[in-house]
């Protein structure tokens, strides 16, 4: 009887969780990725709070989301301006701004972190949030390269911790990599898989391994592109043209490095080089370090491998 009762209560609690769909999402980090993740959740009908350290950053994110939503609305409702406008207004009405992460997570069902690619900073953030977020809240990191398990170490909710790795630009790229750690509960996994589909993504699942699927293949390719340039074998422009026309990529490696950000790229390769010094694929490249030291972070600062018109 006792066993049946325990099984029944576990079933009830888990089904209660499953029925509790994710409605309130908090995105921590209002940069390139955080603004895109906040956008796709808001445009999919969820209440979203985007949080960053600085009010100016969240306001910039709000403007970026507005601009991007106009492109999406135009595509969705090309010949119905009234519907396009309603879609834009409704989506933006579901977006709140905050610079106070502890307060923002108070009513959250899901927290997606998209802050700087530094393990300690991510751990400190989640450690703090773990003490104030509701018990049922799922924590997710959008990290490109860090071990989900090591980020989750900082919390007491490893059963409610996953990796949700989106791709840039989030409103366009269809893929969402879902990473579970051994402690991730089935209920958590099922709820984030459903949530990923609810925000229009096609999900794949990967173990908690460096770079998951895409970046494990992409980072070595992009680093080797920089080495090819450093050896003087070809120019950046020709390497980009070659990969677009020869391999059908939408962007060449240097255009993509400038697009994703040279700072984030540097943090990724530095982290892997430190952790796996014996792997030649993860060797850092001097040109990337130099550009970052010179403050040339790519499109977001107006110059990286290429120069960009200031918007
Ligand atoms: C060493 C470290 C390396 C890894 C670093 C970490 C990175 C990660 O962790 C994981 C990643 O994200 S890897 C990067 C993945 N993303 C890519 O590979 C992007 C490749 N580029 C593209 O798809 C197109 O150039 C792109 C879509 C960007 C632009 O397309 P086009 O060149 O054709 O230009 P557009 O005509 O402006 O855009 C095409 C259609 O997309 C719509 N669109 C573009 N940007 C948008 C945005 N931000 N928001 C909303 N809609 C957007 C645009 O409206 C257009 O739509 P159509 O009107 O239907 O053509
Ligand atoms: N850039 C890309 O193409 C992709 C990046 N990612 C990952 O997403 C994360 C964010 O990357 P990006 O958006 O490119 O970086 P970003 O530099 O554009 O944005 C990071 C934001 O986090 C904020 N931030 C830093 N520490 C914070 C804290 N303690 N609390 C609140 N906000 C804080 C910064 O002010 C900044 O606005 C990284 O983990 C990165 O690896 C994942 C997929 C693609």
């Amino acid at each position: 009887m006792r066993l049946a009762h325990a099984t029944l209560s576990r079933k009830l609690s888990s089904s209660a969780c499953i029925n509790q769909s994710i409605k309130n999402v908090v995105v921590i980090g209002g940069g390139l990725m955080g603004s895109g993740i906040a956008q796709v959740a808001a445009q999919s009908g969820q209440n979203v709070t985007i949080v960053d350290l600085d009010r100016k950053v969240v306001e910039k994110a709000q403007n970026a989301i507005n601009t991007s939503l106009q492109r999406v609305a135009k595509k969705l409702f090309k010949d119905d301006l009234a519907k396009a406008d309603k879609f834009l207004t409704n989506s933006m009405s579901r977006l709140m701004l905050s610079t106070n992460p502890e307060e923002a997570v108070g009513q959250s069902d899901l927290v997606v972190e998209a802050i700087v690619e530094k393990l300690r900073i991510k751990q400190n953030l989640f450690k703090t949030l773990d003490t104030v977020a509701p018990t049922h809240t799922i924590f997710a990191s959008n990290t490109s390269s860090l071990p989900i398990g090591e980020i989750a170490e900082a919390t007491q909710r490893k059963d409610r911790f996953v990796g949700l790795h989106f791709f840039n630009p989030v409103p366009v790229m269809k893929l969402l990599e879902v990473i579970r750690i051994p402690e991730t509960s089935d209920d958590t996994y099922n709820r984030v898989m459903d949530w990923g589909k609810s925000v229009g993504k096609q999900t794949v699942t990967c173990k908690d391994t460096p770079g998951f699927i895409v970046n494990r293949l992409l980072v070595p390719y992009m680093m080797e592109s920089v080495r090819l340039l450093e050896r003087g074998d070809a120019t950046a422009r020709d390497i980009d043209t070659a990969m677009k026309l020869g391999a059908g990529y939408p962007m060449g490696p240097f255009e993509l490095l400038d697009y994703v950000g040279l700072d984030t790229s540097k943090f990724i390769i530095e982290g892997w080089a430190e952790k796996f010094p014996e792997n030649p694929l993860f060797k850092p490249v001097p040109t990337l370090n130099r550009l970052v030291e010179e403050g040339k972070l790519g499109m977001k600062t107006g110059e990286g491998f290429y120069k960009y018109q200031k918007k």
Side-chain angles (χ1 to χ4, degrees):
M1 192 55 180
R2 203 200 305 276
L3 187 66
H5 176 70
T7 315
L8 180 64
S9 63
R10 217 184 2 262
K11 276 216 167 59
L12 281 179
S13 67
S14 69
S15 65
C17 267
I18 293 171
N19 296 339
Q20 201 180 19
S21 72
I22 291 172
K23 293 193 193 65
N24 300 319
V25 179
V26 175
V27 178
I28 317 268
L32 286 176
M33 295 305 287
S35 46
I37 297 165
Q39 174 186 330
V40 296
Q43 72 187 51
S44 306
Q46 290 148 35
N47 304 317
V48 185
T49 304
I50 189 163
V51 183
D52 207 294
L53 297 166
D54 172 333
R55 186 86 202 159
K56 279 198 292 300
V57 174
V58 285
E59 283 165 359
K60 188 171 168 232
Q62 184 184 42
N63 293 335
I65 291 169
N66 199 346
T67 309
S68 172
L69 273 172
Q70 286 172 34
R71 297 174 85 168
V72 175
K74 225 169 74 193
K75 239 176 8 186
L76 286 176
F77 308 100
K78 33 186 150 325
D79 38 18
D80 188 333
L81 282 184
K83 274 199 182 144
D85 204 39
K86 191 158 180 287
F87 167 80
L88 176 63
T89 314
N90 289 347
S91 303
M92 289 306 291
S93 71
R94 289 188 282 266
L95 181 70
M96 277 71 76
L97 312 183
S98 168
T99 53
N100 181 337
E102 289 96 310
E103 187 187 72
V105 300
Q107 312 292 322
S108 60
D109 301 316
L110 171 68
V111 175
V112 184
E113 166 273 312
I115 68 173
V116 63
E117 185 72 341
K118 291 275 183 193
L119 180 60
R120 290 277 165 272
I121 301 179
K122 290 184 189 291
Q123 286 174 326
N124 291 341
L125 173 73
F126 278 117
K127 187 169 184 214
T128 307
L129 298 183
D130 196 28
T131 61
V132 290
T135 314
H136 76 278
T137 305
I138 293 171
F139 283 178
S141 174
N142 180 56
T143 181
S144 304
S145 66
L146 297 168
I148 302 299
E150 290 185 25
I151 303 171
E153 268 309 311
T155 75
Q156 304 300 317
R157 63 176 82 201
K158 296 188 190 68
D159 59 315
R160 282 149 289 152
F161 208 110
V162 288
L164 286 180
H165 185 224
F166 288 86
F167 289 79
N168 189 358
V170 178
V172 179
M173 307 308 284
K174 283 275 161 261
L175 183 66
L176 174 63
E177 288 179 327
V178 180
I179 297 91
R180 57 188 306 180
I181 54 179
E183 297 87 348
T184 304
S185 70
D186 290 346
D187 173 51
T188 296
Y189 176 71
N190 295 331
R191 289 171 73 206
V192 294
M193 290 291 272
D194 290 345
W195 179 78
K197 295 179 184 78
S198 81
V199 297
K201 300 306 172 190
Q202 180 158 350
T203 52
V204 297
T205 297
C206 179
K207 278 192 180 162
D208 187 15
T209 174
F212 315 131
I213 300 172
V214 174
N215 282 350
R216 187 57 172 267
L217 304 175
L218 190 70
V219 172
Y221 146 68
M222 288 165 76
M223 290 298 105
E224 194 52 22
S225 308
V226 182
R227 293 185 196 106
L228 208 153
L229 175 70
E230 287 173 339
R231 290 194 300 266
D233 294 353
T235 65
R237 186 61 73 194
D238 277 358
I239 295 167
D240 279 348
T241 303
M243 289 312 290
K244 287 189 283 188
L245 303 189
Y249 289 9
M251 279 176 167
F254 297 100
E255 290 166 335
L256 188 54
L257 278 163
D258 277 354
Y259 192 77
V260 300
L262 302 190
D263 48 345
T264 299
S265 304
K266 177 173 176 285
F267 298 148
I268 291 167
I269 201 66
E270 264 169 1
W272 285 0
E274 195 185 318
K275 215 169 165 75
F276 310 101
E278 76 296 338
N279 190 332
L281 289 177
F282 298 165
K283 229 158 69 50
V285 286
T287 308
L288 191 55
N289 298 344
R290 175 175 58 74
L291 287 169
V292 172
E293 268 145 41
E294 292 167 1
K296 296 172 182 172
L297 308 184
M299 289 180 94
K300 56 180 160 181
T301 58
E303 185 176 352
F305 284 95
Y306 299 115
K307 284 198 170 80
Y308 300 88
Q309 260 83 32
K310 274 273 176 219
K311 280 188 194 136

